[in-house]
């Protein structure tokens, strides 16, 4: 029975994400109709729209954490690791781009940052290794650089949402910007990222 309930919850979340990306003001009723269930079923899993949004943000944060862990696996060069982690994080974040903007209205920004804590810690460790090895050069400590990396992603998500930047360009830009923020020369950062994601 628990397996079926989990499957229903997952299905409602997937449909809710699709509906909210299509219509940011989608109500719980609209989501229930799209999922082919009665409103009571949706409310049985998510007592409010904010609870649903919170669950979707948790899902996004978990996906970013998994993508980053995969991107960092078996990579010795900290600069390459940083570029790969940014590209992986962008790929997930881009899929949740409008949701994150919505979440900033309904889920506190503090809540989003708290959910990203495991990603930030892992990133800070990788940045520290780069600083220790002299691959990165920054007056900032690794944890501050990890916060900057996070804000680069949020800033570029907003830029894409407002039509200032294309999603395809934003991923590469995020990686290059994170590398240069860590002290990698711009030309080297651009070449490194181009080698990972050809234009």
């Amino acid at each position: 029975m628990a397996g079926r309930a989990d499957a229903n919850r997952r299905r409602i979340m997937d449909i809710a994400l699709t509906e909210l990306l299509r219509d940011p003001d989608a109500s719980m009723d609209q989501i229930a109709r799209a999922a082919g269930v009665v409103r009571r079923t949706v409310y049985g899993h998510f007592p409010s729209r904010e609870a649903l949004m919170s669950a979707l943000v948790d899902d996004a944060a978990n996906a970013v954490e998994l993508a980053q862990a995969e991107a960092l696996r078996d990579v010795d060069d900290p600069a390459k690791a940083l570029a790969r982690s940014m590209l992986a994080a962008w790929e997930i974040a881009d899929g949740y781009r409008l949701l994150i903007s919505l979440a900033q209205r309904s889920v506190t920004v503090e809540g989003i940052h708290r959910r990203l804590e495991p990603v930030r810690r892992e990133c800070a460790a990788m940045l520290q290794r780069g600083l220790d090895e002299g691959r990165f050069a920054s007056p900032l400590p690794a944890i501050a650089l990890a916060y900057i990396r996070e804000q680069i992603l949020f800033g570029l998500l907003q830029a894409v949402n407002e039509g200032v930047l294309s999603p395809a360009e934003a991923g590469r830009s995020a990686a290059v910007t994170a590398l240069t923020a860590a002290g990698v020369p711009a030309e080297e950062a651009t070449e490194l990222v181009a080698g990972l994601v050809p234009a």
Side-chain angles (χ1 to χ4, degrees), residues 2-99:
R4 184 175 176 187
D6 288 345
N8 282 341
R9 185 177 195 276
R10 176 76 262 168
R11 183 168 176 275
I12 290 167
M13 286 177 65
D14 290 343
I15 289 169
L17 178 61
T18 301
E19 289 299 303
L20 288 165
L21 294 179
R22 186 183 58 75
D23 174 10
D25 296 318
S27 66
M28 296 289 267
D29 283 344
Q30 285 173 264
I31 291 165
R33 279 195 302 275
V37 297
V38 296
R39 187 173 64 168
R40 186 175 67 241
T41 301
V42 175
Y43 278 107
H45 292 284
F46 308 101
S48 65
R49 191 172 188 273
E50 185 167 302
L52 174 59
M53 293 291 291
S54 184
L56 290 169
V57 169
D58 284 344
D59 214 37
N62 290 337
V64 169
E65 185 176 359
L66 290 172
Q68 176 171 277
E70 180 61 31
L72 296 179
R73 185 171 296 137
D74 301 324
V75 183
D76 292 327
D77 176 18
K80 187 174 184 180
L82 178 57
R84 283 177 52 128
S85 74
M86 283 299 277
L87 291 167
W90 176 262
E91 191 172 326
I92 302 299
D94 187 41
Y96 287 89
R97 186 162 24 96
L98 293 174
L99 171 68

Side-chain angles (χ1 to χ4, degrees), residues 103-125:
Q104 288 177 323
R105 284 189 262 158
S106 61
V107 179
T108 66
V109 172
E110 179 187 341
I112 294 170
H113 288 303
R114 191 174 58 250
R115 288 168 171 88
L116 290 172
E117 179 64 28
V119 174
R120 193 180 309 116
R121 278 198 314 269
E122 185 175 36
C123 183

